Amino acid sequence: MCLVELKGSPKPVASCAWGVRDCRPGPHGEPPEVLTKSAMVRKAREGVMEFLLINHPLDCPICDQGGECDLQDQAMAYGVDSSRFKENKRAVEDKYVGVLVKTIMNRCIHCTRCVRFMTEVAGVPELGAIGRGEDTEITTYLEQAMTSELQGNVVDLCPVGALTSKPYAFAARPWELTKTESIDVMDAIGSAIRVDTRGREVMRILPRVNDEVNEEWISDKTRHVVDGLRTQRLDQPYIRENGRLHAASWRDAFGVIAAKVKQTQPRRMGAIVGDLAAVEEIFALKDLMTRLGVVNLDCRQDGAMLDPTWGRASYLFNASIAGIEQADALLLVGSNPRREAAVLNARIRKRWRTGALPIGLVGERSDLTYPYEYLGAGPQTLADVASGVHEFGARLREADRPLVIVGMAALARPDGVAIAALAARAAQGTGKEAGWNGYSVLHTAAARVGALDLGFVPGPEGRNAAAMAAPGALDLVVLLGADEIDIAPGAFVVYIGTHGDAGAHRADVILPGAAYPEKSGIYVNTEGRVQMAGRASFPPGEAREDWAILRALSDVLGRKLAYDSLTQLRQALFKAHPHLQRVGQLAPAGRAEVAALAARDGAFEKTAFGRSLDDFYLTNPVARASATMAECSVIAERRGALTAAE
């Protein structure tokens, strides 16, 4: 369908395979002329369309691609109302390729977009073509499930209905859905997404193009976590009495909390922020805790050694996600980008494909989608690289734009400060490129950078998350969606969250909040880019937006917050932290702060770096409530066991 007419050519040429430099000038040196809407072009495209539809089944009414199908659109423009071919249509058996992608291979036109995506972008060449001519078929060869974390993108790429979304099959038509632009929170990349809803129910999530962050891809967890938004939801307050949770009214739940706060000293209270919280509710929680005189605050459930007092550059992905394409040497420290940020991993692979990029890894060996040099398992290797003793350290120093990506597995340790200092030294390079800052922290929690920007860390003599969770440490703990930490028995726990996950099981009072598609909120991604998520739906039952819960609670506690609407809250937020109103912008952090971090001293342990994520598919309450993610997890675990056995 990309045929065009080149003036002077006896037949049409394919524009996708024809470069401008291939065009010949006219007989008298006239510049070449290309026509895209001539009679020749139209006739050629109509002929191609007739060939495409020879074997295509007449099943538009039951095809999930109906209404957003490239072939439908082209057929409307160039198709004819009858076919000259009377032979039987070719029939192809449907293939099993996993739980996320549904195949109806009778529709396949062998464009090989899916094959090229899996091979070139995802870096996991699991799809291919077998047979020749009319017998050609797209398959995974042995009909195994695809293992790439980006496999769902082939559904968007397929120009016909041969590959469609299996969890979304026969759920809705595109014209029934309300489309809302939003931001993903399944990792810290902040991918641009579109949330499609029907009524109050989220039906599907699709990618939006944002060349600075996710280009046009999203991970499978981002796309298929939708069913987790509908199951195990908290839709009314609960109070624990005699060891059992009982449904209660908001008034009763607030009354129990107020009574407990009244008899608890501020130094015996604390608050922990989870991984999916928006900036607004973190700000409201800090405001309320400050009014109560509480200094035990923390947003680092995993114990990451990050401190906003060291400067913003000490905890940001300073090179920026798009800046990966400018790097000329890369060191991964305690990080597995394929698990922690699948879209960012694809960006690294994209840079590796464009030319020579030496990649070194310090930490646990992992199956990345590009070759790398394994340097070692622990801090001693990193110290050798930073000091130049190791050969790879010399490569980093010689590079104009060295990039060091530090993962949470390296920072969430008792010696995390020493590790960060070593990584900062390794990223210093020779400074040939004036504006380049290669020290880059890869976060795994969407809420982390925003919370650090707000300073949601222990105040003077305050306890961190691990100390708050210890036995006998506190009498009252407020968990704002914090499900990845175990609070020891003894403390009274107030949980504000969305799902019946670990935090709700431990709670003494549960206050039901809103999930990320059910509220408008600001998120700051790992590179420090401020982004705004739109509200696509509404919370179920009596659940409310988190900031509104905290505002109502503050009234009962006698410490009334000074805002009654989201607009007023944001005005207070922007006044206290002006950089958060620059939505979509990336403010570069200073290299001096990285230099100061590199100058820090500290002893490091000899133990090897572990992993920050055990299971890519089950990292947060929404994902753990999803049956689709659970099935993906089982397949990945089974495939891992088979690989280990081999």
Side-chain angles (χ1 to χ4, degrees), residues 513-547:
Y516 69 99
E518 299 161 1
K519 60 188 175 187
S520 174
I522 293 171
Y523 292 91
V524 187
N525 76 348
T526 190
E527 59 182 347
R529 187 183 303 275
V530 181
Q531 301 188 104
M532 182 83 74
R535 183 169 70 181
S537 177
F538 292 91
E542 296 182 39
R544 296 291 182 268
E545 293 179 48
D546 303 60
W547 75 266

Side-chain angles (χ1 to χ4, degrees), residues 458-543:
E461 299 182 10
R463 302 172 187 263
N464 61 20
M468 282 190 258
L474 299 179
D475 295 331
L476 173 65
V477 182
V478 178
L479 302 181
L480 182 59
D483 292 271
E484 319 303 324
I485 190 167
D486 296 323
I487 307 297
F492 185 89
V493 175
V494 177
Y495 177 75
I496 304 172
T498 59
H499 287 73
D501 207 77
H505 284 292
R506 172 64 186 86
D508 294 288
V509 175
I510 296 174
L511 305 177
Y516 69 99
E518 299 161 1
K519 60 188 175 187
S520 174
I522 293 171
Y523 292 91
V524 187
N525 76 348
T526 190
E527 59 182 347
R529 187 183 303 275
V530 181
Q531 301 188 104
M532 182 83 74
R535 183 169 70 181
S537 177
F538 292 91
E542 296 182 39

Side-chain angles (χ1 to χ4, degrees), residues 145-157:
M146 292 190 288
T147 58
S148 170
E149 294 81 5
L150 297 169
Q151 61 180 277
N153 292 288
V154 299
V155 172
D156 297 334
L157 290 170

